[in-house]
Amino acid sequence: MLTTARLRLLLLIVCFACLAGIAMLRIGYLGFVGAAPGQTSLADALLPPRGEITDRTGTPLARNFPAYALWFNPEAMEDDGSPLVGEPAAVAARLKAIFPDLDLARTTRILSSDKGGYILRRILPEDANKVFELGEVALEIPREYDRHYPQGSLAAHVLGYVTENDERRLEGRFGMEQVLDERLSERHLRGEPVALSIDLRVQGALEDELGKVMLATDAKGAAGIVLDAETGEIMAMASLPAFDPNIVGADGAPNTFNRATNGVYELGSTFKPLTMAAAIDAGIVRDLSRNWDATTVEVGNRRIRDLKPKGDVLNVPQALVYSSNTVSARVADELGSARMQRLLRDLAMDERPQIELPARGRPLWPANPENRHTNMVIGYGHSLAVTPLHLANAYAAMVNGGIWRPATLQRLGPGEVPKGRRVFKASTSSRMRQMLRMISLYGTGRSADAPGYRVGGKTGSAEKPGKHGYSDRNIISTFAAAFPMDRPRYVIVAMMDEPRGTLASSFQRTAAFNAAPVVGRLVPRIGPMLGVRPDERRDVDISDLRFLVEGRE
């Protein structure tokens, strides 16, 4: 009996040893063969489903938040009969008690269907607990992720929005969300946020100032850009009216048209400095004190006049300060259509603006730019329609020493600034800085002159073309500027689409009364944010040109 007991004990020990050996082998197998999938799943669980987007300082612009949905799964009970314990109508009524805004008829249809579907896309956690208490297995509460834009409508046209594709994955449909879709979804990269070039503080100030003037002048819309003239980085870009990317319906969001990059407009007198710069480069304008004929220009049966004539003759600084169409047209005529078109192509005004956004407008060139009259009116910003971003890039080249660079919405690090290409001579750029500053001191840009910030720029007001020709009731008013003009770092373009003459704008619609004041109020707000502090002891040296303008009424 003792021997039998010992044999039984030995047999039991052997069995346990075998089981332990099998378990150890299984553990080893899983450790070497099955480890990778386990680690991958854990990494996927810890990573956000989509990467975050921030501004250049790290402030979040787009991020993910966990959320809950209410889903009907008709296969929840498999082959055990109806997926619902109660009747579809009764279950729908009980859900209605939890969600008062629920569409009862639609919910009943979903619960009666043999196909799964969302009953509600987003529900609160406390409501999810109430659904669980109903005891209906087919009512599932999947945990999903919402794309959230914590700044609301701020920079909406830059960011864009996402939608859910057929695989229930977030997918960029507009703006930088679309441009960066692959990067934000890439498993190995989505843990690192993507920094854009914009500064949220500057963006907020720009939208605020544009919005106030848009409201005061009852304008149809507005656009604005703050551009780093040395790097091409966009510090802020706005298009009004805006939209909230957090509220996107099945048909997309309203007001998604981007006036800054997609809208093309005749930007009027803001082109005059570009024409003068090209003429100085070409040697057409050598002596700035030379008097040019400022009387009415007659080309065939067409006439070019000044809105407010300042005499029969004007020199070039006076022509810019007083915004003379006639002198600008005569300078463009001497420049010639070939050199004018070369200038426009050098400034990339013959192609869509170079920016990451998909929404980019194609410039509208006149049918016959070689025509003498057409070339003349291009010289003061008519017959050629471009985007405000085209204009911002052109002004950056005109004031930064003559180098054109493409704009970008991605933050550039050291050594990443593109080399660019030379468009103007450095000496010409220096002259233009002087004359742009004089426009803000003596001319139509005086309302943009922010004390201590040395602002220089040019106004532009142009009638909008329509089906029956140009309309004197609808205009585009623009102010293109740079600061500080003694060492230009930032370019600003502010544009109003169809402003009205109201009491707030002294019943005037032109840029001097709406677009220019935007810049005058914006610069003191954003200057310190961008490292530019007011200094009234410094300014551009205009001593050799001041006498050409001062003293003239």
Side-chain angles (χ1 to χ4, degrees):
M1 291 176 63
L2 182 61
T3 303
T4 301
R6 288 174 176 174
L7 288 173
R8 288 177 179 176
L9 180 60
L10 180 61
L11 182 61
L12 187 62
I13 292 173
V14 170
C15 290
F16 274 113
C18 290
L19 290 174
I22 293 171
M24 293 300 294
L25 289 173
R26 178 63 176 169
I27 291 173
Y29 173 80
L30 292 175
F32 289 100
V33 179
Q39 291 177 359
T40 301
S41 299
L42 179 61
D44 283 337
L46 294 176
L47 285 173
R50 189 174 179 86
E52 292 189 358
I53 300 177
T54 71
D55 80 337
R56 66 187 302 109
T57 67
T59 305
L61 300 175
R63 62 194 326 180
N64 309 289
F65 282 97
Y68 298 94
L70 179 54
W71 174 268
F72 172 62
N73 180 10
E75 299 178 357
M77 300 293 288
E78 296 184 351
D79 297 329
D80 294 337
S82 172
L84 294 173
V85 176
E87 292 296 323
V91 175
R94 296 175 70 183
L95 288 174
K96 176 78 172 177
I98 301 174
F99 307 102
D101 296 331
L102 188 70
D103 187 332
L104 193 60
R106 173 182 171 276
T107 303
T108 303
R109 285 196 305 272
I110 294 174
L111 296 177
S112 302
S113 173
D114 58 355
K115 296 181 179 180
Y118 282 104
I119 298 174
L120 289 172
R121 292 305 305 263
R122 292 294 174 260
I123 63 175
L124 297 174
E126 53 267 32
D127 291 332
N129 292 331
K130 294 177 182 178
V131 173
F132 282 129
E133 291 173 0
L134 297 180
E136 294 287 354
V137 180
L139 297 179
E140 298 180 350
I141 312 293
R143 186 182 184 188
E144 300 178 346
Y145 280 89
D146 260 348
R147 191 66 164 173
H148 182 62
Y149 302 90
Q151 313 304 332
S153 62
L154 206 61
H157 287 86
V158 172
L159 290 172
Y161 57 84
V162 297
T163 58
E164 197 172 73
N165 61 18
D166 295 337
E167 300 174 357
R168 295 170 69 177
R169 183 181 70 84
L170 295 178
E171 187 174 58
R173 290 290 186 185
F174 184 73
M176 292 302 285
E177 286 276 28
Q178 179 180 352
V179 174
L180 299 170
D181 187 60
E182 186 175 342
R183 161 66 176 79
L184 296 171
S185 304
E186 173 60 42
R187 177 180 172 273
H188 300 290
L189 299 175
R190 65 179 189 242
E192 291 294 325
V194 177
L196 300 185
S197 62
I198 65 171
D199 186 315
L200 191 63
R201 302 166 300 171
V202 179
Q203 182 74 29
L206 175 63
E207 292 194 23
D208 181 51
E209 294 298 342
L210 285 173
K212 287 189 290 189
V213 174
M214 179 179 162
L215 181 64
T217 60
D218 194 25
K220 178 181 178 181
I225 297 168
V226 179
L227 177 74
D228 189 322
E230 294 294 334
T231 67
E233 292 172 288
I234 291 179
M235 312 304 292
M237 176 187 287
S239 178
L240 300 179
F243 65 94
D244 189 343
N246 292 303
I247 307 173
V248 179
D251 298 327
N255 302 321
T256 57
F257 183 76
N258 190 341
R259 286 177 165 83
T261 64
N262 204 18
V264 292
Y265 312 92
E266 294 183 16
L267 297 176
S269 298
T270 56
F271 266 59
K272 291 173 182 174
L274 300 173
T275 300
M276 297 302 181
I280 293 173
D281 254 11
I284 303 299
V285 174
R286 296 178 182 272
D287 181 5
L288 294 180
S289 64
R290 170 191 167 185
N291 285 325
W292 290 74
D293 186 359
T295 59
T296 299
V297 179
E298 295 188 7
V299 182
N301 60 351
R302 298 183 178 183
R303 295 184 176 185
I304 298 173
R305 301 183 178 88
D306 282 339
L307 182 63
K308 295 180 180 179
K310 291 292 183 178
D312 291 340
V313 294
L314 293 172
N315 56 49
V316 167
Q318 288 170 338
L320 290 177
V321 167
Y322 304 130
S323 197
S324 171
N325 293 339
T326 56
V327 173
S328 298
R330 287 187 167 96
V331 171
D333 192 34
E334 290 202 22
L335 184 64
S337 64
R339 282 183 287 204
M340 178 66 78
Q341 290 178 56
R342 188 185 313 128
L343 166 69
L344 299 175
R345 290 190 170 90
D346 286 345
L347 295 173
M349 289 187 178
D350 61 333
E351 58 185 273
R352 298 180 190 274
Q354 295 189 29
I355 187 74
E356 292 88 349
L357 295 178
R360 298 175 297 132
R362 183 185 297 277
L364 299 178
W365 277 48
N368 185 13
E370 292 81 13
N371 178 273
R372 185 184 178 200
H373 178 268
T374 301
N375 183 64
M376 284 184 169
V377 298
I378 288 175
Y380 58 90
H382 287 70
S383 292
L384 174 68
V386 297
T387 68
L389 182 56
H390 280 111
L391 185 66
N393 277 336
Y395 266 63
M398 184 168 57
V399 302
N400 70 7
I403 306 298
W404 184 93
R405 292 183 179 89
T408 181
L409 279 166
Q410 300 202 48
R411 187 181 64 184
L412 300 178
E416 295 179 343
V417 177
K419 183 179 180 181
R421 61 173 179 264
R422 180 162 295 282
V423 178
F424 300 110
K425 297 176 182 177
S427 58
T428 300
S429 178
S430 178
R431 275 299 189 197
M432 296 313 301
R433 292 197 292 268
Q434 289 179 298
M435 288 189 278
L436 288 172
R437 178 64 178 139
M438 292 173 72
I439 295 171
S440 293
L441 290 174
Y442 307 115
T444 55
R446 280 175 289 186
S447 56
D449 186 28
Y453 287 96
R454 295 93 71 195
V455 178
K458 182 71 186 77
T459 53
S461 304
E463 296 174 354
K464 291 181 70 174
K467 293 182 179 179
H468 306 290
Y470 288 90
S471 170
D472 58 359
R473 299 183 60 183
N474 300 324
I475 70 169
I476 294 291
S477 61
T478 311
F479 189 72
F483 79 100
M485 289 307 294
D486 54 327
R487 191 176 180 181
R489 184 60 196 271
Y490 298 101
V491 167
I492 302 175
V493 171
M495 186 201 78
M496 292 291 148
D497 189 354
E498 296 185 19
R500 308 296 177 192
T502 62
L503 180 62
S505 63
S506 304
F507 297 101
Q508 299 290 328
R509 299 179 300 154
T510 55
F513 295 90
N514 46 58
V518 169
V519 176
R521 290 189 293 268
L522 179 65
V523 169
R525 291 182 64 175
I526 68 174
M529 301 174 189
L530 297 172
V532 181
R533 298 189 177 276
D535 187 349
E536 298 194 27
R537 298 170 299 176
R538 299 178 57 182
D539 210 331
V540 184
D541 182 8
I542 58 171
S543 58
D544 59 333
L545 299 180
R546 182 184 287 115
F547 75 96
L548 296 176
V549 175
E550 284 186 342
R552 186 184 183 100
E553 294 294 332

